[in-house]
Amino acid sequence: MAKWVYSFGGGNAEGRAEMRNLLGGKGANLAEMSSLGLPVPPGFTITTDLCTHFYANGKTYPRELTAEVATALKQVEDRVGAKFGDASNPLLVSVRSGARASMPGMMDTVLNLGLNDKTVEGLAKKSGDARFAYDSYRRFIQMYAQVVLGVEHHHFEDAIENHKLETGVTLDTQLKAEDWQDVIDQYKTLVKRELGHDFPQDPQEQLWGAIGAVFGSWMNQRAITYRRLHDIPADWGTAVTVQAMVFGNMGDDCATGVAFTRNPSTGVQEFYGEYLVNAQGEDVVAGIRTPQHLTLAGKKAQNSTLPAMEEVMPTVFAELEKVRHTLEAHYRDMQDIEFTVQQGKLYMLQTRNGKRTAPAALKIAVDLANAGVIDRNEAIRRIEPLSLDQLLHPTLDPKAPKTVLARGLPASPGAASGMMVFSADEAEARAQKGDAVILVRIETSPEDIHGMHAARGILTTRGGMTSHAAVVARGMGRTCVAGAGDIRVDYAAKTISSKGQVVKAGEIITINGSTGEVMIGEVPTIQPELSGDFATLMEWADKVRTMGVRANADTPTDAKNARRFGAEGIGLCRTEHMFFDGNRIAAVREMIMADDGEGRKKALDKLLPMQRGDFEELFRIMAGLPVTIRLLDPPLHEFLPKTDAEMEEIAKATGKDMAFLHHRAAALHEANPMLGHRGCRLAITAPEIYEMQARAIFEAAANVTKETGAQLIPEIMIPLIATKKELDVLKTMIDRIGADVAKEKGVKLTYLVGTMIELPRAALRAAEIAESAEFFSFGTNDLTQTCFGLSRDDAGNFLDAYLKQGLIDHDPFISIDRDGVGELMTIAVERGKRTRPKLKLGICGEHGGDPASVQFCHEIGLDYVSCSPYRVPIARLAAAQAALSREAITTTA
Amino acid sequence: MAKWVYSFGGGNAEGRAEMRNLLGGKGANLAEMSSLGLPVPPGFTITTDLCTHFYANGKTYPRELTAEVATALKQVEDRVGAKFGDASNPLLVSVRSGARASMPGMMDTVLNLGLNDKTVEGLAKKSGDARFAYDSYRRFIQMYAQVVLGVEHHHFEDAIENHKLETGVTLDTQLKAEDWQDVIDQYKTLVKRELGHDFPQDPQEQLWGAIGAVFGSWMNQRAITYRRLHDIPADWGTAVTVQAMVFGNMGDDCATGVAFTRNPSTGVQEFYGEYLVNAQGEDVVAGIRTPQHLTLAGKKAQNSTLPAMEEVMPTVFAELEKVRHTLEAHYRDMQDIEFTVQQGKLYMLQTRNGKRTAPAALKIAVDLANAGVIDRNEAIRRIEPLSLDQLLHPTLDPKAPKTVLARGLPASPGAASGMMVFSADEAEARAQKGDAVILVRIETSPEDIHGMHAARGILTTRGGMTSHAAVVARGMGRTCVAGAGDIRVDYAAKTISSKGQVVKAGEIITINGSTGEVMIGEVPTIQPELSGDFATLMEWADKVRTMGVRANADTPTDAKNARRFGAEGIGLCRTEHMFFDGNRIAAVREMIMADDGEGRKKALDKLLPMQRGDFEELFRIMAGLPVTIRLLDPPLHEFLPKTDAEMEEIAKATGKDMAFLHHRAAALHEANPMLGHRGCRLAITAPEIYEMQARAIFEAAANVTKETGAQLIPEIMIPLIATKKELDVLKTMIDRIGADVAKEKGVKLTYLVGTMIELPRAALRAAEIAESAEFFSFGTNDLTQTCFGLSRDDAGNFLDAYLKQGLIDHDPFISIDRDGVGELMTIAVERGKRTRPKLKLGICGEHGGDPASVQFCHEIGLDYVSCSPYRVPIARLAAAQAALSREAITTTA
């Protein structure tokens, strides 16, 4: 027969910390603390299984529950030496919900349960404090009526306010025992009016009412929504913990407080916390009274004049300090604890792993590992990879005041202030003069790259987390707020406006790419410092991980950043980003406007030395590390001029008339450019482009090899392959040019030719594509777009609704959709390896810097992930955690 | 040991018709005719295996070949009674290539081989005709030098022209034996000059030279290209047939001719052919002399004055007539034959299945089946389904003269003439006045539907075979030429132009949607007549097929057409096509511009009665047949007004200001609408639309059920499902509305809710989607777009290059890509059926009317295909053929 109730208290417990699933977090840790001999008020926990049973059986309890609860309650009475419902020596209890995972959507706590018109007098006598007793009783009625009986909050507030008005006082503390008795009478009348029956006086009825309310709250709308959003199964259920009350508000020898066993902001090993004398827990949280520091050191550090617990209650403090060490040694992690001192005696009410900032998390993990409390693998596991992002970018000074204009998506982390400009050219011009600028655009395009580079930050009003602006900004390490749809940009007037506020070009704005906030004026920022703990943990992570981590880097600046952040090569160099530079774009446009291969070749000949120079510099910086270069990918119309003036320049350069150029430009227009004439398709219709690029790569490799003596192995990557034949045609062409260059330069060239897997068809045909491809790199951005039929530029219009309605668990452009995209990847890996067991496998989509996706890449056996330079540390840590995890591939058909 | 040489002649043969793969089509049929006892000049065939051996062994022959050829040649000598190379009684032979499949890219025939300076005199003496002998010799030199030795054609032409100039004659026929002797001398000099050696005099050298040339030609560039384009494997090889020469040009008792055993234009059972007295086969083809009819009936039918073979050579004709019946009885199909009469004796030189028109094919198949020569299944198999298209649309009178302006893609078959107009509104207005119009647009959009309906034909200058214009035109049965890129449309000037020719609005043009031609002026057309043979064969096909055939139909006209062509229901009714009608579009726009659900609902309330009316009419026409209705699919911006005037109308109707409307319209703009906010995504963010549509369907079903008494089962189809949760939310909503309507109307509603499978993710997740979906309908247009990453609107820019370069075998929007899209379909079928064994499966993409795709759908077990009404007969026949085929599923991983 199932056991439904677990007791704890008096240095014993039937539960343990590991029984979190059965007893909830709170119940399990109370049991654990009790077993440790810590002073925990006795109590018992009704299991989550009971909750499941309750819902499986038409909201009824098993027969044996009544007896089990009675036994457990009896034990509590014995341990406390008081009796539940006894008029002279009443036992009071708290009733709390507690699920496996913290669930703010559920029932709150009910305190002081067991009070009624009779026991309140017993409490008054026993405590010698009638005001305390009646205050406790009115709190109980208010809490119980609200939480259990569903009477609305404001009724009670009104009653108190009325009483204060009548008696002419303004503060609750001015109310006396008699006042509370009056209030209690009003409360009872109020409950009767609202519910049609009296407030329950029978403590047993109160107890079962509260227990039922907790189980009932598991299925309230807030809890259901919360579970859906956080992917918590309904059958986990909640537990109920019933515990003897202790009071921190029975006099000046009483207190209540919260503490962290280490400093949660810095991670420094110091006792850190606050307390209030003669108060209940809710008073600390409510912030009406200024809390006092626990320690003298804390008091001193904050220049506080209020006495520290260490000086006021030295004995109890010493005991608490001992508890601190006991708990940390036992849980092997920094703890967040709650305690109450009742008449000079310490009681522990809660312990759990404490939340902390990213720097604190690093310091604590490294310190604990160095102290031998945990091993290095455990230290690695304890750091949330994404939290590292906080360490790598400037952040807003949290103390600085700010005026928020609007909010967009936190598209690229960090914070930046600058003069607002509306065009890439102006951004560049002003930046050259030394101004800090924020580039504001409705949306960005590849034409804006130079302006994005020049700007401190980018703000767009359209587009999602993976819009052009967001992707490029993350790649460059620029902060970016994207899709701030509430802001209207007026290019003509050179203003932005939101809810009546208008900001003009040239004025200063601040954007916070970690929160999405857009602020008027300058808000001071704090520069990042990569502490020694960061370096230490990264070193440990690097030793553990089996996957390589490369960076997506297009420019020398990117490449240098990549190495600084520990990238082991370049996994994606997007050559098109090199096409937009001032003197190049003209040649690119000439090439596009040519109507035959000859004309294209002439224009491309001008680009060759520039591309070669780009690659030489990248090869030098990467010093022999692998460099994967993707040949031209975007549709040609991305390079077209937007203005007539620019069009006339081309007319001059090419000798074509404007009508022809306009006709040609119109012909390049596409309904769905994402699915259009791009990637390898460009090279099928105009092979000259890839010929030039291949030659530039080979010549650069030959030159740098000669220069440095180190053998370079460029990895040439062909985008948007759908069929093996495409790859064959282009690989043959590349090999031919490789042979030509080798002959011309008199060197031996070693290189790989591979393909992106970014179309469902390529994933399905991986077996035959691997016959020709020497490596696969998953382009998961496009694979997600095609698998889902979802344009990342347009998804902003509805993806939010999908997330809110729980139709998807997460944005598939941020974290790989395992069930769909993931299956295609798994298929591609299996089929590719079947053909070519040593096939090199990587990922170069945005997902390469997302921890959950890195985990998945590890599971399916990729050799490396590649992500933007600023994500490299995140990927290194995530890869290490993946290597440590024992999870098998969970994707199923 | 392999046998390399197969002899035939004298009523015997070592080969048979079935040995086509080994002996080539020509050799196999010569052997077959010889075995049948028909008068075939003796000869032998060297096998295709020899060709393979030749290339596998460094272009060498096996040792034993020489002996085998010598033996076979000796047999020919014996059978003819002449000797190869004998000066007085020389055997002459022809040498021809002959592959398994007809390959125009390969070597031509060499005739008269064995002639040299000596044997020519023997031939002269033997035939008693010196001019004939020398003419034959010079023809041989010319042909051999050209085909075997590679001397350019024009040299020989020049030599003859020079000679005629010198002797002052103008026609070849005026040249005498001596003239030919002079020409021969010049030819020999010419060969020596060009090649550096004499023309080979040794007949054995000539023979082996010709054999080597045939095998060599298998790998010439033309042949390689042809094979690549027609997917013919290189290892099939070619055979070589060496055959004794017979001459139709030795005098007036000689003749040569070609004939069909039935009329290839009409299929009527009449002997149909032409002949020439005293001529060689090439003279018939060259068209210098007017060929004469074989039969008196033929002569009479054509009012010819030239004598028929039946009267000139009655005995030989009678023999030929007998051969005709023998061959047809033997091959059980209409034959295309070649014959020669040498000095009163008939020789058969070739037989093969004759090419025929679609009506002829139908008639012949039905006649042969009715006569018991073949069975009905065989009759079904013999009709190329696509050829039926010829029967269903008006066609151009082939005899009418025409001026072609340009050429586009044959996007929707048929032909039409009319006044050129440039806008849908004008098309409608003029059509209402009774004018025939052709609507000319750069490209069409859903806004043009009414104009496309009103027009006789549609011409666009942009877009491919599956562009909007093409798809809609095929659906409506309007002829359409799409993507005529050479034509420039000037909307302002209201002209079209191509290569300097300009046509103005209001002038008549003719378009041929079966060939893609655009013609200036009116070209007469012929109306289709569905003959009894068509109906008969369709009836037979319907009995055989196991898959259902439905039609894609959006309007009552479509639905009526669908039934006329034999559709068994509607597989796809696109509700959005109903949104564009004059008085509806205003309400649609109001709905789009509303900024909340309330505003949308108000606008939708106006649409409800109209949609209900649409469905009622469709249900009445389809009279209980299944009707699948797809809820709104396209992105809302497709419905937006294009002009400011229209925008102002909305402003008036909605009370919003223009700035708001422009802002909202801009916000609806999408970078990749195909992957954007459309399909079920619309209903997730604005459920009111689908609610209205579901209500309209249910109310219509209830009303028509009451009216007719027949239970209707509408199938409600939700587009663009990517996840099961989307479907669940929408199905719940539909069920709720179904329950509401059932209650309001007091009826029981029966309906199915299903989904399109048009995204790779949906195919992969089919198992769970089938938990909720009651049917799947494959939307293979979009599935192809997403699987391939290929926009059908943009693919025109490069798909042609892909086809030309052999990178893809066929346009994947026309015929399902089995390897990619097909695998996704197979996966979806397997997984869907695993969950719901009785899952109803169909296809409603354009592929539903493509025979190869219909075959595939049959293989993977779909229940029905749905296609545009005009394709329904094609699909019915293709489905029957699929049912008859024994091919297993050939898609592999």
Side-chain angles (χ1 to χ4, degrees), chain A residues 675 681 726 761 789 791 802 817 823 831, chain B residues 675 726 761 788-789 791 802 817 823 831:
Chain A
L675 307 174
R681 295 165 190 171
E726 292 171 315
R761 195 180 194 284
S791 162
Y802 270 66
D817 160 47
E823 184 177 4
R831 294 183 182 178
Chain B
L675 307 175
E726 291 170 317
R761 195 181 195 284
F788 251 101
S791 161
Y802 270 66
D817 160 47
E823 185 178 3
R831 295 183 182 178

PDB file of all heavy atoms in Angstrom, chain A residues 675 681 726 761 789 791 802 817 823 831, chain B residues 675 726 761 788-789 791 802 817 823 831:
ATOM      1  N   LEU A 675      13.997  31.255 -51.509  1.00  0.00           N
ATOM      2  CA  LEU A 675      13.891  30.009 -52.277  1.00  0.00           C
ATOM      3  C   LEU A 675      14.259  30.243 -53.732  1.00  0.00           C
ATOM      4  O   LEU A 675      13.840  29.513 -54.616  1.00  0.00           O
ATOM      5  CB  LEU A 675      12.452  29.476 -52.202  1.00  0.00           C
ATOM      6  CG  LEU A 675      11.848  29.305 -50.811  1.00  0.00           C
ATOM      7  CD1 LEU A 675      10.377  28.908 -50.912  1.00  0.00           C
ATOM      8  CD2 LEU A 675      12.594  28.248 -50.023  1.00  0.00           C
ATOM      9  N   ARG A 681      23.079  27.735 -57.177  1.00  0.00           N
ATOM     10  CA  ARG A 681      22.317  27.983 -58.404  1.00  0.00           C
ATOM     11  C   ARG A 681      22.920  29.137 -59.196  1.00  0.00           C
ATOM     12  O   ARG A 681      22.818  29.160 -60.429  1.00  0.00           O
ATOM     13  CB  ARG A 681      20.861  28.306 -58.046  1.00  0.00           C
ATOM     14  CG  ARG A 681      20.168  27.122 -57.401  1.00  0.00           C
ATOM     15  CD  ARG A 681      18.879  27.500 -56.704  1.00  0.00           C
ATOM     16  NE  ARG A 681      18.397  26.357 -55.922  1.00  0.00           N
ATOM     17  CZ  ARG A 681      17.395  26.405 -55.071  1.00  0.00           C
ATOM     18  NH1 ARG A 681      16.748  27.549 -54.879  1.00  0.00           N
ATOM     19  NH2 ARG A 681      17.039  25.324 -54.409  1.00  0.00           N
ATOM     20  N   GLU A 726      24.592  18.832 -58.863  1.00  0.00           N
ATOM     21  CA  GLU A 726      25.059  20.213 -58.703  1.00  0.00           C
ATOM     22  C   GLU A 726      26.461  20.219 -58.111  1.00  0.00           C
ATOM     23  O   GLU A 726      27.363  20.909 -58.593  1.00  0.00           O
ATOM     24  CB  GLU A 726      24.143  20.975 -57.733  1.00  0.00           C
ATOM     25  CG  GLU A 726      22.750  21.237 -58.222  1.00  0.00           C
ATOM     26  CD  GLU A 726      21.859  21.809 -57.095  1.00  0.00           C
ATOM     27  OE1 GLU A 726      21.903  21.296 -55.964  1.00  0.00           O
ATOM     28  OE2 GLU A 726      21.128  22.765 -57.365  1.00  0.00           O
ATOM     29  N   ARG A 761      15.844  18.255 -48.969  1.00  0.00           N
ATOM     30  CA  ARG A 761      16.225  17.290 -49.993  1.00  0.00           C
ATOM     31  C   ARG A 761      17.685  16.872 -49.833  1.00  0.00           C
ATOM     32  O   ARG A 761      18.039  15.713 -50.042  1.00  0.00           O
ATOM     33  CB  ARG A 761      15.992  17.864 -51.390  1.00  0.00           C
ATOM     34  CG  ARG A 761      16.035  16.784 -52.453  1.00  0.00           C
ATOM     35  CD  ARG A 761      15.813  17.330 -53.849  1.00  0.00           C
ATOM     36  NE  ARG A 761      15.541  16.252 -54.774  1.00  0.00           N
ATOM     37  CZ  ARG A 761      16.458  15.423 -55.255  1.00  0.00           C
ATOM     38  NH1 ARG A 761      17.707  15.552 -54.880  1.00  0.00           N
ATOM     39  NH2 ARG A 761      16.127  14.451 -56.087  1.00  0.00           N
ATOM     40  N   GLY A 789       8.736  25.555 -43.328  1.00  0.00           N
ATOM     41  CA  GLY A 789       8.059  26.483 -44.223  1.00  0.00           C
ATOM     42  C   GLY A 789       7.887  27.835 -43.565  1.00  0.00           C
ATOM     43  O   GLY A 789       6.817  28.436 -43.617  1.00  0.00           O
ATOM     44  N   SER A 791       9.617  31.610 -42.884  1.00  0.00           N
ATOM     45  CA  SER A 791      10.613  32.624 -43.215  1.00  0.00           C
ATOM     46  C   SER A 791      11.048  33.334 -41.948  1.00  0.00           C
ATOM     47  O   SER A 791      10.221  33.867 -41.225  1.00  0.00           O
ATOM     48  CB  SER A 791       9.997  33.632 -44.186  1.00  0.00           C
ATOM     49  OG  SER A 791      10.738  34.821 -44.228  1.00  0.00           O
ATOM     50  N   TYR A 802       2.392  31.949 -31.359  1.00  0.00           N
ATOM     51  CA  TYR A 802       2.633  30.514 -31.221  1.00  0.00           C
ATOM     52  C   TYR A 802       3.239  30.185 -29.862  1.00  0.00           C
ATOM     53  O   TYR A 802       2.878  29.199 -29.226  1.00  0.00           O
ATOM     54  CB  TYR A 802       3.555  30.026 -32.343  1.00  0.00           C
ATOM     55  CG  TYR A 802       2.806  29.577 -33.570  1.00  0.00           C
ATOM     56  CD1 TYR A 802       2.090  30.491 -34.338  1.00  0.00           C
ATOM     57  CD2 TYR A 802       2.794  28.243 -33.944  1.00  0.00           C
ATOM     58  CE1 TYR A 802       1.397  30.082 -35.443  1.00  0.00           C
ATOM     59  CE2 TYR A 802       2.090  27.825 -35.052  1.00  0.00           C
ATOM     60  CZ  TYR A 802       1.391  28.740 -35.800  1.00  0.00           C
ATOM     61  OH  TYR A 802       0.696  28.332 -36.895  1.00  0.00           O
ATOM     62  N   ASP A 817      14.765  22.597 -33.603  1.00  0.00           N
ATOM     63  CA  ASP A 817      13.551  21.800 -33.496  1.00  0.00           C
ATOM     64  C   ASP A 817      13.949  20.341 -33.667  1.00  0.00           C
ATOM     65  O   ASP A 817      14.128  19.855 -34.779  1.00  0.00           O
ATOM     66  CB  ASP A 817      12.596  22.239 -34.617  1.00  0.00           C
ATOM     67  CG  ASP A 817      11.540  21.201 -34.930  1.00  0.00           C
ATOM     68  OD1 ASP A 817      10.924  20.675 -33.996  1.00  0.00           O
ATOM     69  OD2 ASP A 817      11.337  20.927 -36.133  1.00  0.00           O
ATOM     70  N   GLU A 823      15.331  15.585 -36.980  1.00  0.00           N
ATOM     71  CA  GLU A 823      15.283  14.290 -37.661  1.00  0.00           C
ATOM     72  C   GLU A 823      15.985  14.364 -39.010  1.00  0.00           C
ATOM     73  O   GLU A 823      16.687  13.438 -39.408  1.00  0.00           O
ATOM     74  CB  GLU A 823      13.846  13.780 -37.837  1.00  0.00           C
ATOM     75  CG  GLU A 823      13.891  12.384 -38.465  1.00  0.00           C
ATOM     76  CD  GLU A 823      12.545  11.700 -38.641  1.00  0.00           C
ATOM     77  OE1 GLU A 823      11.507  12.303 -38.349  1.00  0.00           O
ATOM     78  OE2 GLU A 823      12.570  10.540 -39.091  1.00  0.00           O
ATOM     79  N   ARG A 831      23.058   8.767 -43.134  1.00  0.00           N
ATOM     80  CA  ARG A 831      23.248   8.405 -44.542  1.00  0.00           C
ATOM     81  C   ARG A 831      24.605   8.873 -45.051  1.00  0.00           C
ATOM     82  O   ARG A 831      25.248   8.185 -45.831  1.00  0.00           O
ATOM     83  CB  ARG A 831      22.110   9.002 -45.374  1.00  0.00           C
ATOM     84  CG  ARG A 831      20.766   8.382 -45.017  1.00  0.00           C
ATOM     85  CD  ARG A 831      19.616   8.888 -45.873  1.00  0.00           C
ATOM     86  NE  ARG A 831      18.370   8.265 -45.417  1.00  0.00           N
ATOM     87  CZ  ARG A 831      17.173   8.507 -45.914  1.00  0.00           C
ATOM     88  NH1 ARG A 831      17.031   9.366 -46.927  1.00  0.00           N
ATOM     89  NH2 ARG A 831      16.103   7.895 -45.445  1.00  0.00           N
TER      90      ARG A 831
ATOM     91  N   LEU B 675       6.715  31.522 -47.298  1.00  0.00           N
ATOM     92  CA  LEU B 675       7.066  30.942 -46.000  1.00  0.00           C
ATOM     93  C   LEU B 675       6.554  31.816 -44.862  1.00  0.00           C
ATOM     94  O   LEU B 675       7.074  31.777 -43.762  1.00  0.00           O
ATOM     95  CB  LEU B 675       8.589  30.821 -45.878  1.00  0.00           C
ATOM     96  CG  LEU B 675       9.325  30.100 -47.001  1.00  0.00           C
ATOM     97  CD1 LEU B 675      10.833  30.178 -46.779  1.00  0.00           C
ATOM     98  CD2 LEU B 675       8.914  28.646 -47.080  1.00  0.00           C
ATOM     99  N   GLU B 726      -1.085  22.826 -33.740  1.00  0.00           N
ATOM    100  CA  GLU B 726      -1.844  23.751 -34.583  1.00  0.00           C
ATOM    101  C   GLU B 726      -3.165  23.114 -34.980  1.00  0.00           C
ATOM    102  O   GLU B 726      -4.240  23.709 -34.886  1.00  0.00           O
ATOM    103  CB  GLU B 726      -1.075  24.074 -35.870  1.00  0.00           C
ATOM    104  CG  GLU B 726       0.168  24.893 -35.694  1.00  0.00           C
ATOM    105  CD  GLU B 726       0.983  24.953 -37.000  1.00  0.00           C
ATOM    106  OE1 GLU B 726       1.138  23.912 -37.672  1.00  0.00           O
ATOM    107  OE2 GLU B 726       1.462  26.031 -37.340  1.00  0.00           O
ATOM    108  N   ARG B 761       8.237  19.177 -42.381  1.00  0.00           N
ATOM    109  CA  ARG B 761       8.024  18.850 -40.983  1.00  0.00           C
ATOM    110  C   ARG B 761       6.724  18.078 -40.789  1.00  0.00           C
ATOM    111  O   ARG B 761       6.646  17.161 -39.968  1.00  0.00           O
ATOM    112  CB  ARG B 761       8.019  20.113 -40.130  1.00  0.00           C
ATOM    113  CG  ARG B 761       8.160  19.798 -38.665  1.00  0.00           C
ATOM    114  CD  ARG B 761       8.142  21.032 -37.796  1.00  0.00           C
ATOM    115  NE  ARG B 761       8.614  20.720 -36.465  1.00  0.00           N
ATOM    116  CZ  ARG B 761       7.910  20.073 -35.540  1.00  0.00           C
ATOM    117  NH1 ARG B 761       6.694  19.688 -35.816  1.00  0.00           N
ATOM    118  NH2 ARG B 761       8.411  19.807 -34.360  1.00  0.00           N
ATOM    119  N   PHE B 788      12.898  21.266 -51.817  1.00  0.00           N
ATOM    120  CA  PHE B 788      13.974  21.663 -52.727  1.00  0.00           C
ATOM    121  C   PHE B 788      14.510  23.066 -52.391  1.00  0.00           C
ATOM    122  O   PHE B 788      15.508  23.495 -52.952  1.00  0.00           O
ATOM    123  CB  PHE B 788      13.417  21.754 -54.150  1.00  0.00           C
ATOM    124  CG  PHE B 788      13.876  20.667 -55.074  1.00  0.00           C
ATOM    125  CD1 PHE B 788      13.060  19.593 -55.359  1.00  0.00           C
ATOM    126  CD2 PHE B 788      15.124  20.740 -55.669  1.00  0.00           C
ATOM    127  CE1 PHE B 788      13.466  18.587 -56.229  1.00  0.00           C
ATOM    128  CE2 PHE B 788      15.543  19.748 -56.533  1.00  0.00           C
ATOM    129  CZ  PHE B 788      14.717  18.675 -56.814  1.00  0.00           C
ATOM    130  N   GLY B 789      13.781  23.806 -51.550  1.00  0.00           N
ATOM    131  CA  GLY B 789      14.152  25.204 -51.325  1.00  0.00           C
ATOM    132  C   GLY B 789      14.021  26.002 -52.598  1.00  0.00           C
ATOM    133  O   GLY B 789      14.907  26.777 -52.970  1.00  0.00           O
ATOM    134  N   SER B 791      11.481  28.283 -55.076  1.00  0.00           N
ATOM    135  CA  SER B 791      10.252  29.039 -55.270  1.00  0.00           C
ATOM    136  C   SER B 791       9.759  28.834 -56.693  1.00  0.00           C
ATOM    137  O   SER B 791      10.483  29.098 -57.648  1.00  0.00           O
ATOM    138  CB  SER B 791      10.546  30.526 -55.030  1.00  0.00           C
ATOM    139  OG  SER B 791       9.557  31.331 -55.601  1.00  0.00           O
ATOM    140  N   TYR B 802      19.216  24.135 -65.488  1.00  0.00           N
ATOM    141  CA  TYR B 802      19.343  22.848 -64.823  1.00  0.00           C
ATOM    142  C   TYR B 802      18.918  21.713 -65.752  1.00  0.00           C
ATOM    143  O   TYR B 802      19.549  20.663 -65.783  1.00  0.00           O
ATOM    144  CB  TYR B 802      18.484  22.821 -63.555  1.00  0.00           C
ATOM    145  CG  TYR B 802      19.229  23.288 -62.332  1.00  0.00           C
ATOM    146  CD1 TYR B 802      19.656  24.601 -62.217  1.00  0.00           C
ATOM    147  CD2 TYR B 802      19.534  22.413 -61.304  1.00  0.00           C
ATOM    148  CE1 TYR B 802      20.357  25.041 -61.112  1.00  0.00           C
ATOM    149  CE2 TYR B 802      20.234  22.835 -60.194  1.00  0.00           C
ATOM    150  CZ  TYR B 802      20.633  24.146 -60.095  1.00  0.00           C
ATOM    151  OH  TYR B 802      21.324  24.557 -58.995  1.00  0.00           O
ATOM    152  N   ASP B 817       9.341  14.783 -57.745  1.00  0.00           N
ATOM    153  CA  ASP B 817      10.722  14.377 -57.492  1.00  0.00           C
ATOM    154  C   ASP B 817      10.681  13.187 -56.535  1.00  0.00           C
ATOM    155  O   ASP B 817      10.538  13.340 -55.325  1.00  0.00           O
ATOM    156  CB  ASP B 817      11.455  15.565 -56.862  1.00  0.00           C
ATOM    157  CG  ASP B 817      12.716  15.156 -56.106  1.00  0.00           C
ATOM    158  OD1 ASP B 817      13.494  14.371 -56.669  1.00  0.00           O
ATOM    159  OD2 ASP B 817      12.902  15.614 -54.960  1.00  0.00           O
ATOM    160  N   GLU B 823      10.228  10.765 -51.131  1.00  0.00           N
ATOM    161  CA  GLU B 823      10.546  10.086 -49.869  1.00  0.00           C
ATOM    162  C   GLU B 823       9.756  10.698 -48.710  1.00  0.00           C
ATOM    163  O   GLU B 823       9.279   9.985 -47.831  1.00  0.00           O
ATOM    164  CB  GLU B 823      12.046  10.115 -49.553  1.00  0.00           C
ATOM    165  CG  GLU B 823      12.293   9.292 -48.293  1.00  0.00           C
ATOM    166  CD  GLU B 823      13.741   9.159 -47.856  1.00  0.00           C
ATOM    167  OE1 GLU B 823      14.623   9.758 -48.481  1.00  0.00           O
ATOM    168  OE2 GLU B 823      13.967   8.448 -46.866  1.00  0.00           O
ATOM    169  N   ARG B 831       3.960   6.641 -41.762  1.00  0.00           N
ATOM    170  CA  ARG B 831       3.762   7.056 -40.370  1.00  0.00           C
ATOM    171  C   ARG B 831       2.298   7.379 -40.085  1.00  0.00           C
ATOM    172  O   ARG B 831       1.792   7.075 -39.010  1.00  0.00           O
ATOM    173  CB  ARG B 831       4.659   8.251 -40.045  1.00  0.00           C
ATOM    174  CG  ARG B 831       6.130   7.888 -40.122  1.00  0.00           C
ATOM    175  CD  ARG B 831       7.056   9.032 -39.737  1.00  0.00           C
ATOM    176  NE  ARG B 831       8.442   8.585 -39.888  1.00  0.00           N
ATOM    177  CZ  ARG B 831       9.516   9.335 -39.670  1.00  0.00           C
ATOM    178  NH1 ARG B 831       9.368  10.602 -39.284  1.00  0.00           N
ATOM    179  NH2 ARG B 831      10.727   8.859 -39.838  1.00  0.00           N
TER     180      ARG B 831
END
